[in-house]
Amino acid sequence: DLRAGLLSAEELYANLSDKGVKISGKMRRRLVEMGRLHVTGQGRMRGESISVNAHMTGNIGQMELMGSLVDKGQNSPDSLGAKLVVRELQAGKITGAGVLGALTMTADVTGGVKDGRLFAYVNSDIDSFGFDSRTYSDISLNGRYEDKNVSFDLVSFDPKARMAMSGGVDFSEKGTPRYDFDMNAQRMKLHRLNVQPDSTAWLSLAAHGSGIGKDLDGLNGRVNIEDVE
């Protein structure tokens, strides 16, 4: 039994501080906003494999993680497999980004460790996601991580925002991640996005963007938009 019971943000902060982990004032405020969490978990080791089942509930939503790690020896990469279920997770409270709302999704993770390097593949279905006071649904998001590079493919079937997007982030240069993406939007209904009151108005476009920076405030780059209808 890894952990069972209520855990408050202040208790978590104190535990991390006792272990010498430094937390900024901004992160501490986010922890306080999360309130109390109920965390339970179980782990099992059998031979060269480890399995974990953890569950968290609180006023920031619910998360359940089921996973395993198998050591296959020196000549083969270790195998990682996990399933993550998220229900009404308050992304805005966790990240501090007020435009983000509740997230409900399921994700399957596979991957492993080879030559000391982590690689992972994520296939997820987003049932609903809040952004800027609107809720979007029916979104597929697949991602890959390998050699300090993250790439993704996103397809939205939501009637408000039908689009396909692909891109990536390169973390190979320390402190200066590089971003790149391509997007195609098809007949997005502008009145459902609160952009245009006319219910017959729609927008289609193609875009390509690239940039460099640690966060949105310090991001430098450019976006090219074409094929606008």
Side-chain angles (χ1 to χ4, degrees):
D1 192 2
L2 300 179
R3 173 74 181 178
L6 288 172
L7 179 67
S8 71
E10 289 299 325
E11 291 169 339
L12 178 60
Y13 176 79
N15 291 340
L16 293 175
S17 297
D18 290 342
K19 291 179 173 58
V21 179
K22 296 182 179 180
I23 299 179
S24 66
K26 182 185 293 186
M27 179 58 69
R28 185 178 182 181
R29 288 192 295 273
R30 292 179 188 172
L31 290 173
V32 172
E33 289 178 359
M34 293 181 191
R36 298 185 71 82
L37 307 176
H38 186 265
V39 182
T40 60
Q42 289 183 333
R44 176 178 296 177
M45 179 178 293
R46 179 178 296 175
E48 302 298 328
S49 67
I50 300 174
S51 61
V52 176
N53 190 328
H55 188 266
M56 181 210 76
T57 60
N59 62 5
I60 59 167
Q62 300 180 26
M63 293 179 62
E64 184 174 6
L65 175 66
M66 298 157 283
S68 64
L69 177 64
V70 179
D71 184 352
K72 294 187 176 182
Q74 295 182 350
N75 297 324
S76 300
D78 297 342
S79 174
L80 169 70
K83 184 177 184 67
L84 176 67
V85 179
V86 175
R87 300 182 182 90
E88 294 294 322
L89 188 69
Q90 302 301 312
K93 286 186 178 181
I94 296 174
T95 64
V99 296
L100 300 181
L103 170 66
T104 296
M105 64 172 288
T106 58
D108 292 304
V109 182
T110 59
V113 179
K114 184 176 181 180
D115 299 328
R117 296 181 178 181
L118 173 69
F119 62 94
Y121 307 93
V122 180
N123 297 316
S124 62
D125 292 314
I126 300 174
D127 297 318
S128 63
F129 177 56
F131 182 81
D132 196 19
S133 302
R134 287 174 285 275
T135 300
Y136 302 89
S137 59
D138 200 7
I139 300 171
S140 172
L141 176 61
N142 299 323
R144 296 166 295 279
Y145 173 81
E146 192 168 3
D147 293 332
K148 297 183 179 181
N149 280 271
V150 176
S151 58
F152 69 90
D153 295 291
L154 180 149
V155 179
S156 171
F157 300 98
D158 190 297
K160 296 186 294 296
R162 295 185 183 275
M163 69 173 68
M165 179 183 294
S166 62
V169 184
D170 182 356
F171 294 99
S172 59
E173 295 185 28
K174 186 176 181 180
T176 55
R178 295 180 178 273
Y179 307 84
D180 187 85
F181 75 89
D182 289 287
M183 182 185 76
N184 282 283
Q186 299 178 353
R187 298 181 68 87
M188 292 191 298
K189 297 183 178 181
L190 300 183
H191 75 287
R192 292 188 176 182
L193 298 173
N194 295 335
V195 175
Q196 168 62 252
D198 185 356
S199 62
T200 64
W202 53 269
L203 174 67
S204 295
L205 59 84
H208 173 76
S210 60
I212 183 172
K214 293 182 179 180
D215 51 41
L216 290 176
D217 294 332
L219 180 64
N220 291 313
R222 61 185 300 171
V223 177
N224 296 323
I225 299 176
E226 55 189 25
D227 298 333
V228 178
E229 297 182 15

